[in-house]
Amino acid sequence: MFGLVYATAFAAFAAWLAWFLVDAVMGLRRNVKAARESGLRWIVAPHFIAGMTWLPLSFILMPIYRTFPSRWKDPWFRILDPIWSYRERYAPFAKYGDVFLVVSPWGCYMGNASPTVIHHIATRRTEWVKPIEHYSVVEHFGPNVVTTEGSTWRDHRRVSNASFNERSNAVVWKESTRQAGEMVKAWGRRVGNSKEVMWIEDVYPDVATTSLHIISRSGFGVKLLWPGEEQVDGEVEEGYEKFSSHEPMGKHTMTFKESLHTMLRDFVWMGVFSKSTLKKLPFKRTKIVWEGYTNLNTYLHELLDLKKAAIAAGLAEKDALDLMVPLITASDSLPSDHNTPKISTTIGTPQILGNAFIFLFAGHETTANSITFLLIFLALNLPAQRRLQHTLDTLLSSLPPKPSDWPYPSTFNKLGNSYLGACINEQLRLITSVTMVPKRCVSPQTLVLDDGKVVKIPANTFQHFCAPSVHRNPTAWPHAKSSLRKPGKANDLDDFIPERWILDDETYHPSSSSSWSSNNNNNTKPNITNTNGDLSGHATTISELESSSALDIGSSTLYRPPPGAFIPFSDGPRACLGRRFAMVELVAVIATIL
């Protein structure tokens, strides 16, 4: 009896293995043929880099592959790393070209560090789509502007975009300077510190708190308190006390800030397990994650109810750009007798909550990381730190001593045009918030490379905009010989050199042509300041959004890379909605700290 069961099981396994091997061989032959016909250089790998199963498998198999002799695993091993672009930077592209294919039995993958090709793909939204199945991990509160495509995405984008304007940016500026000032005061109160000398062992926790306070207050009207800070009567609106409290109120078991921190830190667990499974797991960490999720979900519903009540009563948030209100007014979540016209049939309560979470997530961690890394770069580069301090002392000398009294937008424009803008851009170039931006072609595509060569891309090819790589592409960036004595270092594109952004710097922008400028004739003296003084290039309609591509650097005195070369906020119509928000916050916080 058992022998028959074992024999049947073995036969089934043998049949599956035979089918698997035949399918793998046939798939590899098919994909190799397509790669040969493409005109691109290509390599063969045993796994499909973009496969949904490869990420978890990589944690098991990559350590095993690492023990193999080089001749067994070159050239595919390094590129199988899920964050290979961050680790390898421009090296694979220097060897195989700015665009190359990686062929496996289960699909073709395209590495992309070509500014021209990145910009082309980013602006061809119907031919190259976002693989939204890879973003389900950030959809547990509801569909949002990151996890949708097609007409649904257009609804999310159009409605959400209404919140991002110059009136709102003024709120961000004021709140950023205020919160950064509170952080500096907190540093000064620590044992051994003073206003003149401060020793901060790890700035990230405080910077992350500052960034969270900024997005919470300016984006949602929720004031969060620093440790030791108490609520002042009349400063927190009625109904919002539970969000600011240091202790859980009502049925909550976590404070609003604690639940946010938990989800922002551990949201990946929501992608590993379903909600029903996560709820039942007995482990301490998963119990905390579930507690954070249920608390934050309740908080978001309560915040939604407060916003709906304010809209119904004809009240508006005067001191917040309010990222939820446009979504609410455009949705079907208001009472049927309310006179606000509904302009979307795809946005309801789940979509409002989903976007609220994604704004909190994207508007908090990414900016905090950028501020932290810039402070580290400045600590390691004393000449740049001294030059920046001198620049700030000069530009701010005629302004009020209290940063929260600095006027917007004049101060922002002045600082964005200065060495501070160059430092921020250089940090974003070296350590970008999003390292690899995925796209997939829905049909065979034809691309024209930087050298004019025409190549054919097979249908269903998965590609990444490799930001760490294109940010070091020597054809797009001014560069010189590195002062760091590292063997094999061809240039200084791995180094923190803010001067490369200064157009009148003779080292990086000589009057005569150079190897990089000869391929970038459109960027010798860019003119990107808008006539109204707004440096963002901010698009206000969906048509403008779809034609908007490269991030506006915000200065006619700073270098502007060619389209597709500088993508810290991605590129094209799906570029980050909050890029202007982030730049305002970065400038305000760094200027206040220094």
Side-chain angles (χ1 to χ4, degrees):
M1 177 70 178
F2 288 106
L4 180 61
V5 172
Y6 289 141
T8 302
F10 179 79
F13 174 76
W16 174 85
L17 182 61
W19 170 85
F20 177 83
L21 293 174
V22 169
D23 182 65
V25 170
M26 296 298 293
L28 182 61
R29 290 183 61 183
R30 180 174 60 252
N31 293 331
V32 165
K33 181 177 182 293
R36 284 175 173 160
E37 294 173 351
S38 70
L40 291 171
R41 296 189 67 178
W42 53 277
I43 61 176
V44 175
H47 304 281
F48 183 43
I49 301 173
M52 295 292 286
T53 58
W54 173 239
L55 181 59
L57 277 176
S58 66
F59 292 103
I60 301 171
L61 295 179
M62 289 299 283
I64 297 174
Y65 290 150
R66 196 168 285 113
T67 65
F68 288 6
S70 295
R71 66 179 182 276
W72 291 8
K73 60 185 180 183
D74 286 340
W76 50 265
F77 171 69
R78 293 182 183 275
I79 297 177
L80 281 183
D81 190 319
I83 55 171
W84 68 270
S85 176
Y86 180 78
R87 295 188 191 278
E88 301 300 317
R89 301 172 183 175
Y90 190 69
F93 298 96
K95 184 175 182 179
Y96 299 112
D98 286 349
V99 182
F100 64 88
L101 293 177
V102 181
V103 180
S104 75
W106 298 278
C108 290
Y109 169 84
M110 187 173 82
N112 185 359
S114 163
T116 300
V117 176
I118 287 174
H119 184 59
H120 172 88
I121 291 175
T123 53
R124 301 299 191 276
R125 194 168 42 81
T126 56
E127 292 90 348
W128 292 85
V129 299
K130 185 174 187 175
I132 57 177
E133 65 274 10
H134 287 244
Y135 290 84
S136 59
V137 69
V138 291
E139 201 174 44
H140 289 286
F141 290 93
N144 53 72
V145 71
V146 171
T147 65
T148 52
E149 255 291 1
S151 61
T152 303
W153 169 80
R154 285 196 296 273
D155 274 356
H156 283 259
R157 179 85 180 203
R158 182 180 66 252
V159 174
S160 299
N161 191 63
S163 296
F164 296 93
N165 52 58
E166 280 300 87
R167 182 185 63 81
S168 300
N169 290 331
V171 175
V172 177
W173 174 264
K174 189 173 183 65
E175 189 63 23
S176 297
T177 53
R178 191 184 74 81
Q179 289 291 343
E182 291 297 322
M183 177 176 65
V184 173
K185 289 178 184 177
W187 287 346
R189 289 192 295 265
R190 292 180 183 174
V191 177
N193 287 353
S194 66
K195 290 183 178 180
E196 291 73 28
V197 179
M198 296 184 187
W199 175 261
I200 312 299
E201 185 173 340
D202 183 3
V203 300
Y204 180 77
D206 294 325
V207 168
T209 297
T210 297
S211 187
L212 181 58
H213 286 196
I214 292 169
I215 181 65
S216 179
R217 179 61 170 163
S218 60
F220 296 90
V222 175
K223 181 181 179 181
L224 300 180
L225 303 177
W226 284 88
E229 183 183 5
E230 297 299 330
Q231 292 186 18
V232 178
D233 291 341
E235 203 171 69
V236 178
E237 293 183 42
E238 184 179 354
Y240 285 80
E241 298 87 354
K242 68 181 70 176
F243 299 95
S244 302
S245 175
H246 288 303
E247 299 294 334
M249 296 177 64
K251 58 186 176 182
H252 291 283
T253 59
M254 284 183 173
T255 66
F256 179 59
K257 187 189 289 190
E258 287 171 341
S259 64
L260 266 176
H261 274 306
T262 301
M263 287 307 301
L264 295 174
R265 182 191 63 212
D266 296 324
F267 75 94
V268 69
W269 287 98
M270 302 292 293
V272 176
F273 301 106
S274 66
K275 293 177 186 176
S276 58
T277 302
L278 188 68
K279 182 179 180 180
K280 298 174 183 176
L281 289 176
F283 309 111
K284 181 179 179 180
R285 170 67 71 178
T286 55
K287 285 180 176 295
I288 292 173
V289 173
W290 180 251
E291 183 182 7
Y293 168 76
T294 54
N295 273 269
L296 184 56
N297 189 50
T298 303
Y299 275 122
L300 291 177
H301 274 92
E302 290 169 342
L303 184 59
L304 174 61
D305 290 340
L306 287 170
K307 299 294 183 183
K308 287 163 65 174
I311 295 171
L315 303 176
E317 295 287 349
K318 296 179 180 178
D319 61 344
L321 58 79
D322 220 316
L323 299 170
M324 292 183 81
V325 167
L327 291 162
I328 296 170
T329 56
S331 73
D332 58 3
S333 61
L334 287 174
S336 58
D337 60 348
H338 195 267
N339 58 10
T340 302
K342 311 300 184 292
I343 61 174
S344 171
T345 58
T346 60
I347 295 178
T349 295
Q351 289 73 20
I352 297 170
L353 300 183
N355 279 292
F357 174 73
I358 209 68
F359 290 146
L360 284 166
F361 173 68
H364 158 248
E365 188 176 33
T366 54
T367 310
N369 286 337
S370 294
I371 294 169
T372 301
F373 283 121
L374 180 52
L375 292 174
I376 292 171
F377 280 133
L378 291 172
L380 295 172
N381 191 326
L382 290 181
Q385 183 185 147
R386 293 191 186 102
R387 179 172 178 177
L388 176 57
Q389 188 66 67
H390 174 73
T391 299
L392 293 175
D393 290 344
T394 302
L395 294 177
L396 300 174
S397 60
S398 61
L399 297 179
K402 191 176 180 181
S404 57
D405 292 332
W406 295 343
Y408 180 90
S410 59
T411 310
F412 171 73
N413 292 343
K414 184 163 38 175
L415 296 177
N417 279 320
S418 74
Y419 193 69
L420 175 56
C423 289
I424 291 173
N425 288 335
E426 184 69 349
Q427 181 279 316
L428 290 171
R429 185 187 69 84
L430 288 172
I431 305 181
T432 185
S433 301
V434 179
T435 57
M436 301 168 78
V437 180
K439 298 282 184 180
R440 184 180 62 242
C441 61
V442 296
S443 60
Q445 298 293 313
T446 299
L447 298 176
V448 180
L449 305 185
D450 296 273
D451 59 3
K453 182 179 179 180
V454 178
V455 297
K456 299 177 181 179
I457 308 302
N460 295 314
T461 294
F462 192 106
Q463 74 89 54
H464 275 130
F465 299 159
C466 299
S469 306
V470 73
H471 287 180
R472 292 165 172 81
N473 189 327
T475 66
W477 293 95
H479 57 274
K481 185 177 180 180
S482 177
S483 60
L484 302 179
R485 297 176 181 176
K486 185 176 179 181
K489 199 169 178 62
N491 53 54
D492 65 357
L493 288 174
D494 285 334
D495 306 343
F496 178 76
I497 311 289
E499 284 73 15
R500 79 175 80 249
W501 293 87
I502 308 299
L503 284 176
D504 58 5
D505 186 281
E506 281 298 314
T507 301
Y508 293 94
H509 300 275
S511 54
S512 58
S513 62
S514 61
S515 59
W516 62 267
S517 62
S518 62
N519 292 314
N520 185 25
N521 295 325
N522 294 328
N523 292 277
T524 55
K525 189 66 175 177
N527 179 16
I528 62 172
T529 304
N530 298 336
T531 57
N532 63 358
D534 176 8
L535 303 176
S536 68
H538 185 71
T540 56
T541 67
I542 197 66
S543 60
E544 287 174 307
L545 286 168
E546 296 192 351
S547 63
S548 175
S549 55
L551 168 71
D552 279 329
I553 304 305
S555 173
S556 58
T557 61
L558 299 183
Y559 171 65
R560 187 186 187 186
F566 188 50
I567 54 172
F569 301 104
S570 191
D571 192 16
R574 292 207 70 136
C576 176
L577 262 174
R579 57 194 183 275
R580 173 73 164 181
F581 185 118
M583 293 301 288
V584 170
E585 181 179 337
L586 284 167
V587 170
V589 171
I590 295 298
T592 302
I593 291 174
L594 298 180

